[in-house]
Amino acid sequence: MGEILSVSNVNIAYDKNQVYKDLNLSIGSGKIVGLLGPNGSGKTTLIKMIAGLLKYKKGSIKVDGHEIGPESKALVAYLPDGSFLNEKLKVKSLIDIYSDFFKDFDKAKAVRIIGDLGIDLNSRFKALSKGNKEKVQLGLVMSRHAKIYLLDEPIGGVDPAARDYILSTIISNYDKDSTIIISTHLIQDIENVLDEVIFVKEGEILLQRNADDLRTERNQSIDDIFREEFRC
Amino acid sequence: MAWKFKNDIPIYLQIMERVKSDIARGNLKAGDKLPGVRDLALEAGVNPNTMQKALSLLEVEGIVYSKRTSGRYISEVDKDIQKDIKEEHTRQYVVSMRQLGLNDNQIKSCLDEYLSRKFN
Amino acid sequence: MLINVIKYEFKNRYKTLSLMTIIFAIFTCLLSGAWYVKNKTSFCENEAVRFFWVIFSIGCVFVLIASIVCMIFQSSAGFYKRFYRNEGYLTNTLPVSSLTLHMGKFIADLIQIAYAYGLAVIAIPVILQDIKIYSKMIDVLTIAFGQIDNATLNSVSDIKGFLIIFIVATYIQTLLMVSNIDLAITIGRNFFTKNNDLLSVVFYFVIKAVDAIPSSIVSMLLAMKQLSSDYEDVSFGFMIQNMIISVLLCAAYVVVAKILTILIHKKRLNLY
């Protein structure tokens, strides 16, 4: 149960706006962490930096001791918000792509998860319903045995049943050697699942606490605390 | 699907309450085997760490015990548990009625009236 | 991992590639049929029929060229889509280095461009219904060049050499065009946050202009050298020499473009 993510003195700007200045953050393994903040607070920027999609100036980000690069990418499973696959491909092909590139990918598990959804492996991704697309994407990512899972808004825009399914998948994939980081602004639906919460506001970490401790301290739900902290 | 929780109280405490309630109601009996942490967490819709914490504390309180290889079981049903739960519910009721401004006699008559109505 | 990247590239390309191949095959057959009609039947003696025949043939040729062009440009279109659009969220989080990603793509391009031109080369004998068309072409060219330039043309193998260099030159120039487009896309996407596509187009022409500078200098030097030598040495030998140097320069440009693309991608990738 050591440190799995270490962010030190990271600076990043976008379009002349400083998104993060001297950001420091440490996250341990074996946790389900909620990265909570309003839109534009920098959550996605942080997630993308860890995933290796955005380059930061100064500072360093280390995943299980590895700087961001091919080694860290092998340890990080990223589920973006929105579509990120070539939809013309068959589900089978997508599974093969993951299998080819990621040594930690459990192909049997992916086949099982997708099969349980009643999806034919030979169907084209394009032909699936929106809900099923999200579930397949989640299934592919969660079938990896990664050290860090980055889920960017995994439950936005899905119906309650799908939401339950996604949360169950997240819970069942919990592993004490890995950490799941969920970035979202839909706190109510997800707070029961979180170990730790990190509030992000305008490029600053407002707080980073154990969820239950925070509840005891403030006698409020995380959702209520969030609303209080981020009141306009 | 998931258990219902109030989010302003620590989840682990609510889980413990629920287990104790189940025991008090007779849904869980002494010697019953509890599902594993992961399965229970899945059923409850909570973080496995939270479930683990709740179960560990229940073990500390003596309400469940664990056999090394086979998992966790409900301990001999303590009459105290039932008593504790009943007392807790009563306490909450009295507190909320007092918050409305009623004194003890008024609370008693309110209760009597309700109970007699219900059984008509 | 390199093999995986090449597989990945082709998994994403094969549908369009297959479609273009089928279209190419169909229109090759149609054009072949048209040629047959012209040569072996008397339909085209009628003026009206001949008119439609010409339109039809031009249409077929147009489709054939368009499908080859599609196959070639698919490479860069795919690059743009797979590296810098939504799919970039997958491609750029694969556990491979920038170098491996781009090398894989490069090899896939080499194969695809060769395939496209290979189809064109095969199509010609099929359309003209003459397997020996290339030998005949060589014979014709030998005679033609022989008439211009008795001194330097020695044998049929010179013409073959010329044709081979011509094919290699076309291939490398196509490869260069694709590499330059990729570099332009990379610059547009990684250095700017607005108007990326417009700037990519601008940079394509900037790159072409920059490439033209050494080429022009080399051409001028060669021309000067030729002018100062024997008159007899001009034309054929000059042409082959020029082509070889052009091929080498193009290859150098491709290498430079690739290196720059990889470096920019590695140092500056920002996928918002």
Side-chain angles (χ1 to χ4, degrees), chain A residues 119 124-136:
Chain A
I119 295 172
R124 302 217 176 258
F125 192 79
K126 203 158 62 154
L128 302 176
S129 67
K130 179 163 190 260
N132 275 346
K133 281 184 190 172
E134 311 254 359
K135 291 176 190 169
V136 167

Side-chain angles (χ1 to χ4, degrees), chain A residues 103-215:
Chain A
K103 284 198 203 73
D104 60 16
F105 184 70
D106 189 342
K107 188 167 175 176
K109 181 174 177 182
V111 169
R112 187 178 29 91
I113 292 179
I114 292 173
D116 285 348
L117 292 165
I119 295 172
D120 177 15
L121 290 180
N122 275 310
S123 51
R124 302 217 176 258
F125 192 79
K126 203 158 62 154
L128 302 176
S129 67
K130 179 163 190 260
N132 275 346
K133 281 184 190 172
E134 311 254 359
K135 291 176 190 169
V136 167
Q137 285 175 179
L138 180 72
L140 286 170
V141 169
M142 294 315 253
S143 294
R144 281 189 56 195
H145 292 285
K147 290 275 182 196
I148 296 184
Y149 297 89
L150 300 169
L151 310 180
D152 200 346
E153 297 288 357
I155 56 172
V158 291
D159 62 80
R163 211 182 303 145
D164 280 348
Y165 175 84
I166 291 168
L167 290 174
S168 296
T169 308
I170 291 172
I171 294 171
S172 15
N173 268 282
Y174 167 77
D175 185 301
K176 64 173 169 56
D177 291 322
S178 58
T179 282
I180 303 175
I181 301 176
I182 305 173
S183 159
T184 184
H185 58 279
L186 298 171
I187 297 158
Q188 226 171 10
D189 300 313
I190 213 164
E191 59 167 292
N192 291 348
V193 155
L194 303 175
D195 263 300
E196 194 172 291
V197 296
I198 300 175
F199 282 14
V200 183
K201 185 175 186 174
E202 285 163 14
E204 301 273 342
I205 305 286
L206 222 55
L207 61 83
Q208 180 181 4
R209 301 290 307 280
N210 172 282
D212 269 342
D213 289 347
L214 195 56
R215 286 189 192 104

Side-chain angles (χ1 to χ4, degrees), chain A residues 30-32 164 168-169 171-175 188 191-195 212-213 215-216 219-222, chain B residues 1-14 38 41-42 44-50 53:
Chain A
K31 300 203 171 145
I32 301 181
D164 280 348
S168 296
T169 308
I171 294 171
S172 15
N173 268 282
Y174 167 77
D175 185 301
Q188 226 171 10
E191 59 167 292
N192 291 348
V193 155
L194 303 175
D195 263 300
D212 269 342
D213 289 347
R215 286 189 192 104
T216 315
N219 237 325
Q220 283 173 299
S221 68
I222 307 288
Chain B
M1 178 226 109
W3 297 352
K4 293 257 180 296
F5 291 103
K6 283 190 274 186
N7 287 323
D8 50 353
I9 311 170
I11 308 280
Y12 75 91
L13 285 177
Q14 295 178 62
R38 196 181 287 269
L42 201 54
V46 301
N47 189 301
N49 283 335
T50 310
K53 185 169 178 182

Side-chain angles (χ1 to χ4, degrees), chain A residues 13-15 48 51-55 70 73-74 78 80 83-86 89 96-98 100-102 124, chain C residues 1 4-5 7-8 11-12 86-87 89-90 92-97 193-194 266-267 269-272:
Chain A
Y14 171 67
D15 228 3
K48 286 184 177 174
L53 295 169
L54 292 179
K55 298 268 182 283
K73 289 176 186 177
Y78 174 45
S83 78
F84 62 101
L85 300 169
N86 182 347
L89 295 176
D96 285 339
I97 289 174
Y98 267 78
D100 284 342
F101 282 103
F102 297 109
R124 302 217 176 258
Chain C
M1 273 306 180
N4 288 330
V5 178
K7 267 172 75 179
Y8 177 67
K11 273 204 179 105
N12 281 294
N86 286 348
E87 291 175 49
Y89 291 153
L90 176 61
N92 290 302
T93 52
L94 294 173
V96 290
S97 60
T193 49
K194 289 199 245 293
K266 185 173 165 163
K267 298 284 175 200
L269 178 69
N270 281 302
L271 228 64
Y272 285 99

Side-chain angles (χ1 to χ4, degrees), chain C residues 75-76 79 105 109 178-186 258 261:
Chain C
S75 162
S76 291
F79 175 69
K105 183 201 176 285
D109 290 345
V178 168
S179 301
N180 282 345
I181 293 174
D182 291 348
L183 178 58
I185 292 172
T186 304
K258 280 292 156 208
T261 305

Side-chain angles (χ1 to χ4, degrees), chain C residues 110-128:
Chain C
L110 289 176
I111 296 172
Q112 190 155 328
I113 296 173
Y115 174 78
Y117 283 141
L119 282 181
V121 163
I122 293 173
I124 294 176
V126 170
I127 293 169
L128 299 175

